[in-house]
PDB file of all heavy atoms in Angstrom:
ATOM      1  N   HIS A 162     -32.923 131.049 133.609  1.00 74.00           N
ATOM      2  CA  HIS A 162     -32.908 132.111 134.619  1.00 74.00           C
ATOM      3  C   HIS A 162     -33.054 133.519 133.948  1.00 74.00           C
ATOM      4  O   HIS A 162     -33.838 134.363 134.382  1.00 74.00           O
ATOM      5  CB  HIS A 162     -31.648 132.056 135.426  1.00 74.00           C
ATOM      6  CG  HIS A 162     -31.472 133.170 136.395  1.00 74.00           C
ATOM      7  ND1 HIS A 162     -30.629 134.276 136.102  1.00 74.00           N
ATOM      8  CD2 HIS A 162     -31.998 133.453 137.622  1.00 74.00           C
ATOM      9  CE1 HIS A 162     -30.712 135.145 137.092  1.00 74.00           C
ATOM     10  NE2 HIS A 162     -31.527 134.683 138.008  1.00 74.00           N
ATOM     11  N   ALA A 163     -32.288 133.708 132.887  1.00 78.00           N
ATOM     12  CA  ALA A 163     -32.331 134.962 132.140  1.00 78.00           C
ATOM     13  C   ALA A 163     -33.706 135.206 131.535  1.00 78.00           C
ATOM     14  O   ALA A 163     -34.263 136.299 131.591  1.00 78.00           O
ATOM     15  CB  ALA A 163     -31.259 135.025 131.074  1.00 78.00           C
ATOM     16  N   ALA A 164     -34.314 134.114 131.024  1.00 80.00           N
ATOM     17  CA  ALA A 164     -35.618 134.247 130.420  1.00 80.00           C
ATOM     18  C   ALA A 164     -36.674 134.593 131.438  1.00 80.00           C
ATOM     19  O   ALA A 164     -37.572 135.440 131.216  1.00 80.00           O
ATOM     20  CB  ALA A 164     -35.982 132.976 129.679  1.00 80.00           C
ATOM     21  N   ALA A 165     -36.554 133.938 132.648  1.00 77.00           N
ATOM     22  CA  ALA A 165     -37.571 134.167 133.697  1.00 77.00           C
ATOM     23  C   ALA A 165     -37.445 135.637 134.193  1.00 77.00           C
ATOM     24  O   ALA A 165     -38.518 136.300 134.369  1.00 77.00           O
ATOM     25  CB  ALA A 165     -37.289 133.192 134.871  1.00 77.00           C
ATOM     26  N   ASN A 166     -36.281 136.140 134.359  1.00 74.00           N
ATOM     27  CA  ASN A 166     -36.129 137.524 134.790  1.00 74.00           C
ATOM     28  C   ASN A 166     -36.564 138.510 133.764  1.00 74.00           C
ATOM     29  O   ASN A 166     -37.030 139.614 134.021  1.00 74.00           O
ATOM     30  CB  ASN A 166     -34.704 137.817 135.247  1.00 74.00           C
ATOM     31  CG  ASN A 166     -34.436 137.276 136.669  1.00 74.00           C
ATOM     32  OD1 ASN A 166     -35.366 137.051 137.411  1.00 74.00           O
ATOM     33  ND2 ASN A 166     -33.169 137.039 136.985  1.00 74.00           N
ATOM     34  N   ARG A 167     -36.400 138.110 132.482  1.00 82.00           N
ATOM     35  CA  ARG A 167     -36.836 138.997 131.403  1.00 82.00           C
ATOM     36  C   ARG A 167     -38.360 139.127 131.442  1.00 82.00           C
ATOM     37  O   ARG A 167     -38.906 140.221 131.255  1.00 82.00           O
ATOM     38  CB  ARG A 167     -36.369 138.392 130.041  1.00 82.00           C
ATOM     39  CG  ARG A 167     -36.627 139.339 128.865  1.00 82.00           C
ATOM     40  CD  ARG A 167     -35.830 138.940 127.646  1.00 82.00           C
ATOM     41  NE  ARG A 167     -36.091 137.548 127.251  1.00 82.00           N
ATOM     42  CZ  ARG A 167     -35.198 136.522 127.384  1.00 82.00           C
ATOM     43  NH1 ARG A 167     -34.060 136.779 127.961  1.00 82.00           N
ATOM     44  NH2 ARG A 167     -35.520 135.340 126.996  1.00 82.00           N
ATOM     45  N   TRP A 168     -39.020 138.035 131.702  1.00 78.00           N
ATOM     46  CA  TRP A 168     -40.507 138.098 131.780  1.00 78.00           C
ATOM     47  C   TRP A 168     -40.917 138.833 133.061  1.00 78.00           C
ATOM     48  O   TRP A 168     -41.918 139.528 133.085  1.00 78.00           O
ATOM     49  CB  TRP A 168     -41.084 136.687 131.755  1.00 78.00           C
ATOM     50  CG  TRP A 168     -41.201 136.194 130.397  1.00 78.00           C
ATOM     51  CD1 TRP A 168     -40.424 135.269 129.775  1.00 78.00           C
ATOM     52  CD2 TRP A 168     -42.149 136.591 129.404  1.00 78.00           C
ATOM     53  NE1 TRP A 168     -40.808 135.045 128.471  1.00 78.00           N
ATOM     54  CE2 TRP A 168     -41.899 135.884 128.210  1.00 78.00           C
ATOM     55  CE3 TRP A 168     -43.194 137.504 129.402  1.00 78.00           C
ATOM     56  CZ2 TRP A 168     -42.636 136.025 127.072  1.00 78.00           C
ATOM     57  CZ3 TRP A 168     -43.979 137.708 128.240  1.00 78.00           C
ATOM     58  CH2 TRP A 168     -43.700 136.944 127.067  1.00 78.00           C
ATOM     59  N   THR A 169     -40.153 138.636 134.133  1.00 76.00           N
ATOM     60  CA  THR A 169     -40.426 139.396 135.361  1.00 76.00           C
ATOM     61  C   THR A 169     -40.358 140.882 135.115  1.00 76.00           C
ATOM     62  O   THR A 169     -41.197 141.701 135.573  1.00 76.00           O
ATOM     63  CB  THR A 169     -39.438 139.013 136.482  1.00 76.00           C
ATOM     64  OG1 THR A 169     -39.564 137.596 136.727  1.00 76.00           O
ATOM     65  CG2 THR A 169     -39.708 139.754 137.727  1.00 76.00           C
ATOM     66  N   ASP A 170     -39.315 141.296 134.372  1.00 76.00           N
ATOM     67  CA  ASP A 170     -39.158 142.727 134.042  1.00 76.00           C
ATOM     68  C   ASP A 170     -40.372 143.205 133.207  1.00 76.00           C
ATOM     69  O   ASP A 170     -40.877 144.332 133.403  1.00 76.00           O
ATOM     70  CB  ASP A 170     -37.899 142.928 133.270  1.00 76.00           C
ATOM     71  CG  ASP A 170     -37.522 144.362 133.143  1.00 76.00           C
ATOM     72  OD1 ASP A 170     -37.459 145.061 134.182  1.00 76.00           O
ATOM     73  OD2 ASP A 170     -37.296 144.816 131.993  1.00 76.00           O
ATOM     74  N   ASN A 171     -40.838 142.318 132.274  1.00 79.00           N
ATOM     75  CA  ASN A 171     -41.956 142.735 131.480  1.00 79.00           C
ATOM     76  C   ASN A 171     -43.225 142.894 132.308  1.00 79.00           C
ATOM     77  O   ASN A 171     -44.038 143.774 132.063  1.00 79.00           O
ATOM     78  CB  ASN A 171     -42.212 141.671 130.409  1.00 79.00           C
ATOM     79  CG  ASN A 171     -41.115 141.586 129.360  1.00 79.00           C
ATOM     80  OD1 ASN A 171     -40.385 142.593 129.189  1.00 79.00           O
ATOM     81  ND2 ASN A 171     -40.987 140.433 128.677  1.00 79.00           N
ATOM     82  N   ILE A 172     -43.395 142.018 133.335  1.00 79.00           N
ATOM     83  CA  ILE A 172     -44.582 142.128 134.201  1.00 79.00           C
ATOM     84  C   ILE A 172     -44.532 143.452 135.022  1.00 79.00           C
ATOM     85  O   ILE A 172     -45.545 144.139 135.160  1.00 79.00           O
ATOM     86  CB  ILE A 172     -44.639 140.893 135.150  1.00 79.00           C
ATOM     87  CG1 ILE A 172     -44.906 139.651 134.315  1.00 79.00           C
ATOM     88  CG2 ILE A 172     -45.654 141.112 136.246  1.00 79.00           C
ATOM     89  CD1 ILE A 172     -44.853 138.341 135.134  1.00 79.00           C
ATOM     90  N   PHE A 173     -43.310 143.763 135.542  1.00 74.00           N
ATOM     91  CA  PHE A 173     -43.200 145.054 136.279  1.00 74.00           C
ATOM     92  C   PHE A 173     -43.513 146.206 135.388  1.00 74.00           C
ATOM     93  O   PHE A 173     -44.217 147.182 135.799  1.00 74.00           O
ATOM     94  CB  PHE A 173     -41.778 145.149 136.855  1.00 74.00           C
ATOM     95  CG  PHE A 173     -41.606 144.384 138.116  1.00 74.00           C
ATOM     96  CD1 PHE A 173     -40.444 143.631 138.312  1.00 74.00           C
ATOM     97  CD2 PHE A 173     -42.553 144.346 139.112  1.00 74.00           C
ATOM     98  CE1 PHE A 173     -40.207 142.936 139.454  1.00 74.00           C
ATOM     99  CE2 PHE A 173     -42.344 143.576 140.288  1.00 74.00           C
ATOM    100  CZ  PHE A 173     -41.180 142.879 140.447  1.00 74.00           C
ATOM    101  N   THR A 174     -43.060 146.169 134.154  1.00 83.00           N
ATOM    102  CA  THR A 174     -43.335 147.257 133.220  1.00 83.00           C
ATOM    103  C   THR A 174     -44.837 147.361 132.953  1.00 83.00           C
ATOM    104  O   THR A 174     -45.381 148.449 132.885  1.00 83.00           O
ATOM    105  CB  THR A 174     -42.560 147.000 131.886  1.00 83.00           C
ATOM    106  OG1 THR A 174     -41.159 146.933 132.172  1.00 83.00           O
ATOM    107  CG2 THR A 174     -42.817 148.126 130.908  1.00 83.00           C
ATOM    108  N   LEU A 175     -45.474 146.206 132.778  1.00 79.00           N
ATOM    109  CA  LEU A 175     -46.916 146.193 132.521  1.00 79.00           C
ATOM    110  C   LEU A 175     -47.657 146.735 133.693  1.00 79.00           C
ATOM    111  O   LEU A 175     -48.663 147.503 133.545  1.00 79.00           O
ATOM    112  CB  LEU A 175     -47.359 144.824 132.169  1.00 79.00           C
ATOM    113  CG  LEU A 175     -48.855 144.579 131.864  1.00 79.00           C
ATOM    114  CD1 LEU A 175     -49.270 145.451 130.653  1.00 79.00           C
ATOM    115  CD2 LEU A 175     -49.198 143.084 131.639  1.00 79.00           C
ATOM    116  N   ARG A 176     -47.287 146.321 134.910  1.00 74.00           N
ATOM    117  CA  ARG A 176     -47.968 146.839 136.112  1.00 74.00           C
ATOM    118  C   ARG A 176     -47.849 148.376 136.227  1.00 74.00           C
ATOM    119  O   ARG A 176     -48.814 149.062 136.550  1.00 74.00           O
ATOM    120  CB  ARG A 176     -47.353 146.159 137.353  1.00 74.00           C
ATOM    121  CG  ARG A 176     -47.717 144.737 137.503  1.00 74.00           C
ATOM    122  CD  ARG A 176     -47.165 144.146 138.791  1.00 74.00           C
ATOM    123  NE  ARG A 176     -47.738 144.814 140.020  1.00 74.00           N
ATOM    124  CZ  ARG A 176     -47.435 144.437 141.244  1.00 74.00           C
ATOM    125  NH1 ARG A 176     -46.532 143.431 141.474  1.00 74.00           N
ATOM    126  NH2 ARG A 176     -47.939 145.048 142.272  1.00 74.00           N
ATOM    127  N   GLN A 177     -46.637 148.842 135.917  1.00 82.00           N
ATOM    128  CA  GLN A 177     -46.448 150.315 136.014  1.00 82.00           C
ATOM    129  C   GLN A 177     -47.312 151.040 134.971  1.00 82.00           C
ATOM    130  O   GLN A 177     -47.927 152.099 135.272  1.00 82.00           O
ATOM    131  CB  GLN A 177     -44.974 150.649 135.756  1.00 82.00           C
ATOM    132  CG  GLN A 177     -44.613 152.119 135.913  1.00 82.00           C
ATOM    133  CD  GLN A 177     -44.883 152.606 137.322  1.00 82.00           C
ATOM    134  OE1 GLN A 177     -44.534 151.901 138.304  1.00 82.00           O
ATOM    135  NE2 GLN A 177     -45.477 153.793 137.451  1.00 82.00           N
ATOM    136  N   GLU A 191     -54.896 145.375 141.766  1.00 79.00           N
ATOM    137  CA  GLU A 191     -54.189 144.544 142.776  1.00 79.00           C
ATOM    138  C   GLU A 191     -54.856 143.174 142.986  1.00 79.00           C
ATOM    139  O   GLU A 191     -54.185 142.171 143.122  1.00 79.00           O
ATOM    140  CB  GLU A 191     -54.131 145.334 144.111  1.00 79.00           C
ATOM    141  CG  GLU A 191     -53.277 146.575 144.114  1.00 79.00           C
ATOM    142  CD  GLU A 191     -51.802 146.240 143.850  1.00 79.00           C
ATOM    143  OE1 GLU A 191     -51.360 145.130 144.187  1.00 79.00           O
ATOM    144  OE2 GLU A 191     -51.103 147.126 143.327  1.00 79.00           O
ATOM    145  N   MET A 193     -56.585 141.614 140.790  1.00 80.00           N
ATOM    146  CA  MET A 193     -56.320 140.810 139.557  1.00 80.00           C
ATOM    147  C   MET A 193     -54.904 140.223 139.602  1.00 80.00           C
ATOM    148  O   MET A 193     -54.707 139.031 139.257  1.00 80.00           O
ATOM    149  CB  MET A 193     -56.501 141.661 138.311  1.00 80.00           C
ATOM    150  CG  MET A 193     -56.303 140.906 136.981  1.00 80.00           C
ATOM    151  SD  MET A 193     -56.306 141.978 135.566  1.00 80.00           S
ATOM    152  CE  MET A 193     -54.715 142.873 135.811  1.00 80.00           C
ATOM    153  N   TYR A 194     -53.943 140.989 140.090  1.00 73.00           N
ATOM    154  CA  TYR A 194     -52.565 140.515 140.171  1.00 73.00           C
ATOM    155  C   TYR A 194     -52.470 139.298 141.108  1.00 73.00           C
ATOM    156  O   TYR A 194     -51.820 138.265 140.821  1.00 73.00           O
ATOM    157  CB  TYR A 194     -51.640 141.577 140.696  1.00 73.00           C
ATOM    158  CG  TYR A 194     -51.509 142.823 139.804  1.00 73.00           C
ATOM    159  CD1 TYR A 194     -51.258 144.095 140.303  1.00 73.00           C
ATOM    160  CD2 TYR A 194     -51.659 142.701 138.385  1.00 73.00           C
ATOM    161  CE1 TYR A 194     -51.176 145.171 139.493  1.00 73.00           C
ATOM    162  CE2 TYR A 194     -51.530 143.789 137.535  1.00 73.00           C
ATOM    163  CZ  TYR A 194     -51.296 145.037 138.107  1.00 73.00           C
ATOM    164  OH  TYR A 194     -51.231 146.106 137.299  1.00 73.00           O
ATOM    165  N   LYS A 195     -53.198 139.389 142.227  1.00 78.00           N
ATOM    166  CA  LYS A 195     -53.146 138.271 143.217  1.00 78.00           C
ATOM    167  C   LYS A 195     -53.813 137.017 142.613  1.00 78.00           C
ATOM    168  O   LYS A 195     -53.361 135.943 142.891  1.00 78.00           O
ATOM    169  CB  LYS A 195     -53.863 138.732 144.478  1.00 78.00           C
ATOM    170  CG  LYS A 195     -53.094 139.785 145.264  1.00 78.00           C
ATOM    171  CD  LYS A 195     -53.852 140.197 146.536  1.00 78.00           C
ATOM    172  CE  LYS A 195     -53.060 141.295 147.300  1.00 78.00           C
ATOM    173  NZ  LYS A 195     -53.808 141.708 148.507  1.00 78.00           N
ATOM    174  N   GLU A 196     -54.875 137.233 141.838  1.00 79.00           N
ATOM    175  CA  GLU A 196     -55.552 136.077 141.276  1.00 79.00           C
ATOM    176  C   GLU A 196     -54.651 135.294 140.320  1.00 79.00           C
ATOM    177  O   GLU A 196     -54.795 134.090 140.193  1.00 79.00           O
ATOM    178  CB  GLU A 196     -56.826 136.546 140.529  1.00 79.00           C
ATOM    179  CG  GLU A 196     -57.942 137.003 141.476  1.00 79.00           C
ATOM    180  CD  GLU A 196     -59.147 137.550 140.756  1.00 79.00           C
ATOM    181  OE1 GLU A 196     -59.084 137.511 139.447  1.00 79.00           O
ATOM    182  OE2 GLU A 196     -60.095 137.961 141.337  1.00 79.00           O
ATOM    183  N   VAL A 197     -53.765 135.999 139.619  1.00 75.00           N
ATOM    184  CA  VAL A 197     -52.897 135.323 138.640  1.00 75.00           C
ATOM    185  C   VAL A 197     -51.559 134.961 139.276  1.00 75.00           C
ATOM    186  O   VAL A 197     -50.640 134.506 138.580  1.00 75.00           O
ATOM    187  CB  VAL A 197     -52.681 136.168 137.397  1.00 75.00           C
ATOM    188  CG1 VAL A 197     -54.003 136.424 136.677  1.00 75.00           C
ATOM    189  CG2 VAL A 197     -52.059 137.525 137.756  1.00 75.00           C
ATOM    190  N   GLY A 198     -51.390 135.151 140.600  1.00 75.00           N
ATOM    191  CA  GLY A 198     -50.186 134.707 141.265  1.00 75.00           C
ATOM    192  C   GLY A 198     -49.137 135.772 141.450  1.00 75.00           C
ATOM    193  O   GLY A 198     -48.003 135.471 141.886  1.00 75.00           O
ATOM    194  N   ILE A 199     -49.410 137.027 141.117  1.00 79.00           N
ATOM    195  CA  ILE A 199     -48.422 138.116 141.317  1.00 79.00           C
ATOM    196  C   ILE A 199     -48.728 138.765 142.651  1.00 79.00           C
ATOM    197  O   ILE A 199     -49.547 139.653 142.797  1.00 79.00           O
ATOM    198  CB  ILE A 199     -48.569 139.162 140.156  1.00 79.00           C
ATOM    199  CG1 ILE A 199     -48.407 138.460 138.799  1.00 79.00           C
ATOM    200  CG2 ILE A 199     -47.537 140.253 140.354  1.00 79.00           C
ATOM    201  CD1 ILE A 199     -48.613 139.416 137.623  1.00 79.00           C
ATOM    202  N   THR A 200     -48.011 138.257 143.675  1.00 76.00           N
ATOM    203  CA  THR A 200     -48.222 138.720 145.059  1.00 76.00           C
ATOM    204  C   THR A 200     -47.196 139.764 145.421  1.00 76.00           C
ATOM    205  O   THR A 200     -46.314 140.148 144.568  1.00 76.00           O
ATOM    206  CB  THR A 200     -48.100 137.524 146.007  1.00 76.00           C
ATOM    207  OG1 THR A 200     -46.813 136.874 145.831  1.00 76.00           O
ATOM    208  CG2 THR A 200     -49.212 136.508 145.704  1.00 76.00           C
ATOM    209  N   ASP A 201     -47.208 140.225 146.678  1.00 73.00           N
ATOM    210  CA  ASP A 201     -46.290 141.280 147.096  1.00 73.00           C
ATOM    211  C   ASP A 201     -44.820 140.804 147.085  1.00 73.00           C
ATOM    212  O   ASP A 201     -43.925 141.656 146.982  1.00 73.00           O
ATOM    213  CB  ASP A 201     -46.693 141.730 148.503  1.00 73.00           C
ATOM    214  CG  ASP A 201     -48.046 142.461 148.508  1.00 73.00           C
ATOM    215  OD1 ASP A 201     -48.463 142.907 147.432  1.00 73.00           O
ATOM    216  OD2 ASP A 201     -48.702 142.459 149.586  1.00 73.00           O
ATOM    217  N   ASP A 202     -44.608 139.516 147.300  1.00 76.00           N
ATOM    218  CA  ASP A 202     -43.214 139.033 147.289  1.00 76.00           C
ATOM    219  C   ASP A 202     -42.708 138.641 145.916  1.00 76.00           C
ATOM    220  O   ASP A 202     -41.651 138.065 145.751  1.00 76.00           O
ATOM    221  CB  ASP A 202     -43.124 137.810 148.246  1.00 76.00           C
ATOM    222  CG  ASP A 202     -44.025 136.658 147.820  1.00 76.00           C
ATOM    223  OD1 ASP A 202     -44.850 136.891 146.947  1.00 76.00           O
ATOM    224  OD2 ASP A 202     -43.927 135.596 148.445  1.00 76.00           O
ATOM    225  N   PHE A 203     -43.476 138.960 144.879  1.00 74.00           N
ATOM    226  CA  PHE A 203     -43.042 138.676 143.555  1.00 74.00           C
ATOM    227  C   PHE A 203     -41.832 139.536 143.186  1.00 74.00           C
ATOM    228  O   PHE A 203     -41.837 140.766 143.351  1.00 74.00           O
ATOM    229  CB  PHE A 203     -44.203 139.030 142.579  1.00 74.00           C
ATOM    230  CG  PHE A 203     -43.859 138.766 141.108  1.00 74.00           C
ATOM    231  CD1 PHE A 203     -43.849 137.482 140.598  1.00 74.00           C
ATOM    232  CD2 PHE A 203     -43.510 139.824 140.266  1.00 74.00           C
ATOM    233  CE1 PHE A 203     -43.518 137.262 139.276  1.00 74.00           C
ATOM    234  CE2 PHE A 203     -43.185 139.609 138.938  1.00 74.00           C
ATOM    235  CZ  PHE A 203     -43.205 138.322 138.422  1.00 74.00           C
ATOM    236  N   ASP A 204     -40.739 138.878 142.763  1.00 79.00           N
ATOM    237  CA  ASP A 204     -39.492 139.629 142.482  1.00 79.00           C
ATOM    238  C   ASP A 204     -38.632 138.848 141.522  1.00 79.00           C
ATOM    239  O   ASP A 204     -38.965 137.732 141.137  1.00 79.00           O
ATOM    240  CB  ASP A 204     -38.772 139.866 143.814  1.00 79.00           C
ATOM    241  CG  ASP A 204     -37.808 141.071 143.716  1.00 79.00           C
ATOM    242  OD1 ASP A 204     -37.614 141.576 142.583  1.00 79.00           O
ATOM    243  OD2 ASP A 204     -37.298 141.501 144.748  1.00 79.00           O
ATOM    244  N   TYR A 205     -37.494 139.473 141.189  1.00 74.00           N
ATOM    245  CA  TYR A 205     -36.552 138.757 140.252  1.00 74.00           C
ATOM    246  C   TYR A 205     -35.965 137.559 140.954  1.00 74.00           C
ATOM    247  O   TYR A 205     -35.763 137.540 142.130  1.00 74.00           O
ATOM    248  CB  TYR A 205     -35.427 139.757 139.859  1.00 74.00           C
ATOM    249  CG  TYR A 205     -35.900 140.897 139.016  1.00 74.00           C
ATOM    250  CD1 TYR A 205     -36.192 142.159 139.586  1.00 74.00           C
ATOM    251  CD2 TYR A 205     -36.095 140.775 137.638  1.00 74.00           C
ATOM    252  CE1 TYR A 205     -36.617 143.214 138.808  1.00 74.00           C
ATOM    253  CE2 TYR A 205     -36.523 141.824 136.859  1.00 74.00           C
ATOM    254  CZ  TYR A 205     -36.807 143.020 137.483  1.00 74.00           C
ATOM    255  OH  TYR A 205     -37.213 144.068 136.718  1.00 74.00           O
ATOM    256  N   LEU A 206     -35.585 136.530 140.124  1.00 74.00           N
ATOM    257  CA  LEU A 206     -34.963 135.332 140.650  1.00 74.00           C
ATOM    258  C   LEU A 206     -33.451 135.558 140.803  1.00 74.00           C
ATOM    259  O   LEU A 206     -32.869 136.262 139.985  1.00 74.00           O
ATOM    260  CB  LEU A 206     -35.175 134.165 139.688  1.00 74.00           C
ATOM    261  CG  LEU A 206     -36.628 133.677 139.545  1.00 74.00           C
ATOM    262  CD1 LEU A 206     -36.697 132.566 138.491  1.00 74.00           C
ATOM    263  CD2 LEU A 206     -37.176 133.163 140.861  1.00 74.00           C
ATOM    264  N   GLU A 207     -32.920 134.989 141.858  1.00 79.00           N
ATOM    265  CA  GLU A 207     -31.456 135.071 142.053  1.00 79.00           C
ATOM    266  C   GLU A 207     -30.865 133.710 141.742  1.00 79.00           C
ATOM    267  O   GLU A 207     -31.440 132.649 142.096  1.00 79.00           O
ATOM    268  CB  GLU A 207     -31.138 135.457 143.493  1.00 79.00           C
ATOM    269  CG  GLU A 207     -31.528 136.882 143.818  1.00 79.00           C
ATOM    270  CD  GLU A 207     -31.119 137.282 145.229  1.00 79.00           C
ATOM    271  OE1 GLU A 207     -30.400 136.463 145.902  1.00 79.00           O
ATOM    272  OE2 GLU A 207     -31.402 138.390 145.665  1.00 79.00           O
TER     273      GLU A 207
END
Side-chain angles (χ1 to χ4, degrees):
H162 173 260
N166 280 339
R167 186 164 57 252
W168 279 105
T169 300
D170 191 55
N171 291 339
I172 291 173
F173 281 137
T174 301
L175 179 61
R176 287 183 63 177
Q177 184 63 43
E191 291 296 333
M193 183 187 69
Y194 297 150
K195 291 179 180 179
E196 289 177 1
V197 297
I199 304 176
T200 58
D201 294 337
D202 58 351
F203 180 78
D204 203 349
Y205 293 98
L206 294 176
E207 293 185 3

